[in-house]
Amino acid sequence: MAAYVNRTISLMGGDDPGIRGSSLAVGPMGDGRSVSDSSPLQIFVRAKKKINDIFVEIEDYVRDTVTYMQSVQQDRSIVKGDDAVQVEGYIAKVRAIRDVLTRDHMKVAFFGRTSNGKSSVINAMLREKILPSGIGHTTNCFLQVEGSDSGESYLVTEDSTEKQNVKSVGQLAHALCKEKLGESQLVHIYWPKDKCLLLRDDVVFVDSPGIDVSPNLDEWIDRHCLDADVFVLVANAESTLMLTEKNFFHKVSTRLSKPNIFILNNRWDASASEPEFLDQVRAQHMERAVDFLVKELKVCTQKEANQRIFFVSAKEALHARLQEQKGQPAHTGALAEGFPNRYFEFQDFERKFEECISKSAVRTKFEQHSQRGKLIVSEIRQIMDRTYDQAQQLKTQKAVAKKEIHDKLNFTEQQLLLLTQEMKDKIRQMVEDVEQRVSKALNEEIRRLSVLVDEFNLPFHPEQLVLNVYKKELHLHVENGLGSNLRARLSTALAMNIENNQREMTERMSGLLPAEKKQVSLNILPRREPFEILYRLNCDNLCADFHEDLEFRFSWGLTSIISRFAGKKANSLALTNCSQRIPRDLMSPSENVDVMHIKLPSNNTEDWSSVAARMAMASIGSQGTMGGLLVAGFMLKTVGWRLILVTGAIYACIYLYERLTWTNKAKEREFKRQYVSHATKKLRLIVDLTSANCSHQVQQELSSTFARLCHLVDEATNDMDSEIKTLEKEVKQLEEAANSAKVMRNKANYITKELEMFDDAFLKLRN
């Protein structure tokens, strides 16, 4: 009896820290305490809200990571395909965890033999007679009572979503009802949270049929017990723990590691009829219950077991709370002696139960989620670490490659400027050399033109039609001959010189090209055919104004003699339209002169040989035949008729000889002589033009070769410039990718820190 009194004193404000300072004063909820966040159940509520907030951040973080990896996934060198797939898989995992967290609650499962008062205990805790109760086998199926956010009360069967009136639970779950549910079926009963503080704090109660009415205990455990945070064994204080109850919890302990079990010895109000045996019976029940928890199940220590065994009367507690809700004292009505003690112990059970369920639920439900969150964030952080390191490494490589290409581009441009100036000088020297060579060779060939003309062997005839064909062929012969001679003298040397210069250009320029373009530069040379200069003399047009003179002229005729004496450089004195003509006996028979040019000395000091000759000429020019007679008479008087006769005979013989030798062959020789003289003059006029033309060809050949090489170098520089721009873009992208990866990594650290703070606040301090 003394122990019982001490227990009662402690319950009323003794040394028990769980209830120190408590009283029967009820708050708005009528539960013996005010509605505040000091309830141990609020720890679970706050922990649930905190872990939910953290997983919202984790979900956003995973989505951001997926978006980031999709943005850089095109560059496989930064992000591996496996990493991308792995991160995308975390979206579903985090969503599943969030769904579980939303449904997470503190679940309390009540078990015991039939008619031990399980439903009454739940009704007393809910402060409302919700579940069917009474003598005998009352509850036929599993009933789960949870809070309703909408403020309405209703129930939903396991195989339906239809909302039914709560009052129908008496028919659905009562064992005496004809249309009863199966033993393992579950009925969800939703009760307004504002009517019960426990439901508001996410506590769920599960009422069960008696464990002595069904052999399907394993099925019960699998379906309804594996996620329970606290088990309440409602025993009958009028008897003792039975093997049925022990066997059930032995099965539970094999499925769950150290389940939290409270033992309520219900119907303790029956002890009031035998007060003399109260302490002995209480001690007996206590000893057996402690041995069951500590020695048989091994789920707690001796000290913990003493705090988990209570002696209550659920019927009295429910009656008292219904009275309190009516505004009447709790002890109103026919109550057995010792009711205050039993009522305080029921409240003590609720407080211990709240502490235990809150601690257990936080640990069992949120610790696993916290660890999974850390694991997900840690794995993503490792991926971000690899991504950041890879991006930084690639950025460094790209930056180095960009600098190398930039330096190479600057070097190429500088060398190209130097080579361009050098090649221009070489081309200019080459052009000048070609011009000099061609000019010299063409002058030499012009001096040897007579030999080339003499080599022309086409049959000659003075007939004009034949002569035109002859001239045409001669033009072609001279043109081909001069061209072949010039090619023989110049082409080989010039071609070799040009080829050497082209090869030097190619070798020098190819040094500025990348390896893949060097072969292209080599394809420019050698040419399929060696370069050949085209001299383009075009004698047909050049000598188009050539008019041959094939009339016979006596070499010792008067005109010829005067021409010989006058010289080629004398000025001409034209005696035109003279009415008197020179006597034909003083001229060659073939001469028919209408205009005679007397070559006057270009120098005033030059005199003719004799005054007589001047007078004879003047006489001839002015007096015609009379002058000739005077001259003949003068000569006759001077030298004598015999000398004149002999001279005349010799003169006639010479004339006859020349006239007889004036054949086609002679005409051909004269034609070739005249042609050589005319062509020589014309060719000398185009020596500079031809040499300039040849040098221009050489300049074009070398310049075109150099231009093609420069084009290749320009393409290479353009490629390098494009590559630099591409590398700049890639470096910028890699820098952005690295910065984003760094941000994602830092966010992972932040979330990990949040989870660690959650562990410190809700897990570690309560273990």
Side-chain angles (χ1 to χ4, degrees):
M1 188 66 180
Y4 174 73
V5 173
N6 292 335
R7 172 82 173 191
T8 303
I9 293 174
S10 67
L11 288 174
M12 298 183 65
D15 297 332
D16 193 325
I19 61 170
R20 182 177 295 127
S22 63
S23 68
L24 283 174
V26 296
M29 302 295 293
D31 60 349
R33 56 186 171 88
S34 62
V35 180
S36 66
D37 289 342
S38 61
S39 169
L41 299 179
Q42 281 296 310
I43 297 174
F44 177 86
V45 175
R46 291 195 298 270
K48 180 178 179 179
K49 183 179 183 303
K50 182 62 177 178
I51 196 71
N52 267 291
D53 293 341
I54 293 175
F55 267 90
V56 169
E57 294 182 1
I58 293 175
E59 186 174 19
D60 292 339
Y61 173 62
V62 173
R63 292 184 185 278
D64 293 341
T65 305
V66 171
T67 302
Y68 162 73
M69 299 191 76
Q70 288 175 347
S71 66
V72 299
Q73 195 171 6
Q74 56 185 357
D75 191 348
R76 295 291 182 179
S77 57
I78 299 179
V79 177
K80 296 180 180 179
D82 295 341
D83 290 343
V85 173
Q86 182 179 357
V87 174
E88 288 180 1
Y90 289 141
I91 294 179
K93 292 183 179 180
V94 174
R95 187 182 296 114
I97 293 174
R98 287 200 60 199
D99 292 340
V100 172
L101 285 172
T102 303
R103 297 191 305 268
D104 274 342
H105 46 246
M106 294 175 281
K107 184 175 180 180
V108 186
F110 290 80
F111 288 94
R113 289 182 292 115
T114 303
S115 196
N116 278 5
K118 299 183 293 298
S119 300
S120 297
V121 172
I122 296 175
N123 287 335
M125 297 179 74
L126 295 176
R127 292 176 173 78
E128 193 79 32
K129 192 172 182 180
I130 301 173
L131 303 182
S133 61
I135 61 174
H137 180 198
T138 305
T139 305
N140 185 64
C141 62
F142 281 86
L143 301 176
Q144 179 168 306
V145 183
E146 51 191 294
S148 171
D149 295 320
S150 62
E152 59 178 330
S153 58
Y154 59 92
L155 63 86
V156 177
T157 59
E158 189 173 13
D159 54 355
S160 175
T161 57
E162 180 184 359
K163 295 182 179 180
Q164 301 181 36
N165 194 314
V166 174
K167 294 181 179 180
S168 62
V169 70
Q171 298 176 351
L172 293 174
H174 205 290
L176 299 178
C177 182
K178 295 182 179 179
E179 298 179 358
K180 55 187 178 181
L181 299 175
E183 296 171 349
S184 297
Q185 285 189 287
L186 180 66
V187 175
H188 292 271
I189 301 174
Y190 294 92
W191 193 255
K193 289 184 176 181
D194 57 354
K195 291 185 178 181
C196 180
L197 186 63
L198 294 174
L199 298 182
R200 189 199 71 176
D201 292 338
D202 283 343
V203 178
V204 172
F205 297 99
V206 177
D207 191 10
S208 64
I211 58 177
D212 54 347
V213 300
S214 175
N216 299 323
L217 298 182
D218 291 332
E219 181 182 357
W220 287 9
I221 294 171
D222 292 337
R223 293 188 60 182
H224 306 293
C225 299
L226 295 181
D227 60 341
D229 298 294
V230 170
F231 293 88
V232 178
L233 171 58
V234 182
N236 190 348
E238 296 182 70
S239 65
T240 185
L241 288 178
M242 308 297 292
L243 289 176
T244 303
E245 298 165 328
K246 291 185 176 182
N247 290 336
F248 174 78
F249 279 98
H250 276 294
K251 289 180 179 294
V252 170
S253 65
T254 59
R255 305 290 183 89
L256 298 175
S257 176
K258 292 186 177 182
N260 296 297
I261 301 174
F262 284 80
I263 298 178
L264 289 183
N265 292 285
N266 194 22
R267 299 185 178 178
W268 187 240
D269 54 329
S271 62
S273 61
E274 298 180 2
E276 67 277 8
F277 299 108
L278 177 65
D279 291 339
Q280 291 86 342
V281 174
R282 182 184 180 93
Q284 181 187 55
H285 287 337
M286 194 75 172
E287 180 181 359
R288 291 183 179 181
V290 169
D291 289 343
F292 175 63
L293 294 177
V294 176
K295 297 180 180 180
E296 294 185 36
L297 295 181
K298 299 179 180 179
V299 295
C300 59
T301 63
Q302 178 83 25
K303 182 179 180 181
E304 291 173 340
N306 290 328
Q307 299 295 324
R308 294 189 181 185
I309 302 170
F310 299 91
F311 296 84
V312 298
S313 173
K315 185 176 179 180
E316 288 181 341
L318 176 60
H319 173 77
R321 287 179 173 176
L322 291 176
Q323 291 296 107
E324 290 171 352
Q325 289 183 0
K326 294 177 183 180
Q328 299 178 2
H331 58 274
T332 302
L335 298 174
E337 185 182 353
F339 161 73
N341 295 331
R342 293 190 294 272
Y343 189 42
F344 274 113
E345 189 155 358
F346 189 86
Q347 291 177 332
D348 187 32
F349 155 69
E350 287 182 317
R351 292 187 181 88
K352 295 291 196 309
F353 153 80
E354 289 179 5
E355 292 177 359
C356 180
I357 190 176
S358 175
K359 177 180 177 181
S360 173
V362 168
R363 183 178 66 252
T364 58
K365 298 185 185 301
F366 300 147
E367 184 175 16
Q368 181 182 6
H369 297 324
S370 175
Q371 295 302 320
R372 291 182 66 186
K374 289 179 184 178
L375 179 62
I376 291 173
V377 173
S378 175
E379 290 178 353
I380 294 179
R381 186 189 186 283
Q382 292 176 4
I383 293 174
M384 290 299 101
D385 282 338
R386 292 197 296 269
T387 303
Y388 174 78
D389 293 340
Q390 187 67 14
Q392 285 290 88
Q393 184 179 358
L394 288 175
K395 174 188 169 185
T396 303
Q397 293 176 358
K398 299 288 185 182
V400 171
K402 173 191 164 187
K403 184 179 183 306
E404 291 177 353
I405 295 175
H406 189 271
D407 294 342
K408 186 176 181 180
L409 177 61
N410 291 337
F411 174 79
T412 302
E413 290 176 345
Q414 293 174 1
Q415 291 299 312
L416 182 61
L417 291 175
L418 296 176
L419 282 176
T420 300
Q421 187 59 42
E422 184 178 348
M423 289 301 123
K424 283 183 178 179
D425 295 340
K426 283 184 176 292
I427 291 173
R428 185 177 64 253
Q429 294 174 2
M430 181 69 181
V431 167
E432 292 174 355
D433 180 63
V434 169
E435 188 172 359
Q436 292 175 2
R437 288 191 182 188
V438 172
S439 177
K440 180 179 179 182
L442 185 56
N443 281 321
E444 291 178 358
E445 290 301 321
I446 291 173
R447 287 194 292 270
R448 297 177 64 251
L449 184 61
S450 58
V451 178
L452 181 62
V453 173
D454 288 341
E455 293 175 353
F456 185 68
N457 295 323
L458 194 69
F460 180 83
H461 196 279
E463 179 64 30
Q464 190 62 41
L465 293 176
V466 179
L467 195 60
N468 288 338
V469 176
Y470 186 87
K471 284 194 290 185
K472 196 171 200 178
E473 294 296 327
L474 181 59
H475 291 334
L476 184 61
H477 172 74
V478 171
E479 183 176 343
N480 292 336
L482 286 176
S484 62
N485 290 341
L486 289 174
R487 283 192 293 273
R489 292 167 60 97
L490 299 175
S491 293
T492 303
L494 290 179
M496 291 182 63
N497 198 0
I498 291 171
E499 186 176 347
N500 290 335
N501 278 275
Q502 289 176 326
R503 184 174 291 106
E504 182 183 359
M505 287 181 187
T506 304
E507 291 175 354
R508 297 283 297 278
M509 296 293 282
S510 61
L512 303 179
L513 297 174
E516 60 272 12
K517 288 188 177 290
K518 285 186 178 181
Q519 186 60 38
V520 180
S521 67
L522 296 177
N523 292 336
I524 296 178
L525 292 175
R527 297 167 58 96
R528 293 183 179 179
E529 296 179 359
F531 172 72
E532 184 175 354
I533 297 177
L534 301 178
Y535 298 97
R536 300 172 186 170
L537 298 174
N538 200 358
C539 292
D540 194 8
N541 292 332
L542 191 64
C543 298
D545 61 342
F546 169 68
H547 299 289
E548 71 282 352
D549 184 7
L550 298 181
E551 293 293 333
F552 175 74
R553 286 180 175 82
F554 183 44
S555 61
W556 292 96
L558 183 59
T559 303
S560 300
I561 293 174
I562 292 173
S563 298
R564 289 176 186 174
F565 280 102
K568 294 181 179 180
K569 296 183 180 180
N571 295 325
S572 299
L573 176 63
L575 301 176
T576 60
N577 299 325
C578 296
S579 58
Q580 298 86 2
R581 294 183 180 277
I582 298 174
R584 290 186 178 276
D585 57 347
L586 296 179
M587 300 172 64
S588 61
S590 61
E591 290 179 276
N592 185 10
V593 180
D594 293 330
V595 180
M596 182 176 70
H597 299 276
I598 299 176
K599 302 291 184 177
L600 295 177
S602 59
N603 195 335
N604 293 332
T605 61
E606 184 179 348
D607 296 326
W608 283 1
S609 60
S610 64
V611 176
R614 295 183 182 181
M615 292 176 63
M617 292 299 297
S619 175
I620 292 172
S622 60
Q623 303 296 329
T625 305
M626 184 57 71
L629 292 175
L630 289 176
V631 173
F634 180 76
M635 293 297 293
L636 181 63
K637 289 291 186 178
T638 303
V639 298
W641 64 271
R642 291 185 180 182
L643 182 60
I644 293 173
L645 184 61
V646 173
T647 303
I650 295 172
Y651 189 82
C653 289
I654 294 173
Y655 174 81
L656 181 61
Y657 173 76
E658 289 187 1
R659 190 70 182 84
L660 292 175
T661 57
W662 187 249
T663 61
N664 284 341
K665 197 68 176 174
K667 292 179 181 179
E668 182 181 8
R669 287 194 299 272
E670 180 62 19
F671 177 86
K672 290 183 176 180
R673 185 192 64 76
Q674 293 177 14
Y675 181 84
V676 168
S677 176
H678 181 82
T680 298
K681 293 178 183 178
K682 294 294 184 179
L683 288 171
R684 290 191 186 280
L685 294 177
I686 66 167
V687 169
D688 293 339
L689 180 62
T690 303
S691 59
N693 179 46
C694 294
S695 64
H696 182 66
Q697 294 179 48
V698 172
Q699 183 179 11
Q700 281 188 325
E701 174 67 15
L702 294 176
S703 297
S704 64
T705 301
F706 187 69
R708 292 196 298 272
L709 293 170
C710 287
H711 179 68
L712 290 177
V713 176
D714 288 339
E715 286 182 348
T717 55
N718 290 336
D719 291 343
M720 286 189 283
D721 188 61
S722 300
E723 192 172 355
I724 288 174
K725 292 180 180 178
T726 302
L727 288 172
E728 285 179 352
K729 183 178 179 181
E730 291 178 354
V731 167
K732 185 177 180 180
Q733 291 175 346
L734 289 169
E735 184 175 2
E736 292 176 354
N739 291 336
S740 298
K742 186 176 181 180
V743 171
M744 303 300 290
R745 184 181 64 181
N746 293 339
K747 190 172 182 180
N749 294 335
Y750 167 77
I751 294 176
T752 301
K753 188 66 176 177
E754 286 282 298
L755 290 170
E756 290 176 352
M757 292 173 64
F758 173 82
D759 292 348
D760 293 338
F762 297 102
L763 299 178
K764 293 182 180 179
L765 296 180
R766 303 185 180 277
N767 286 338

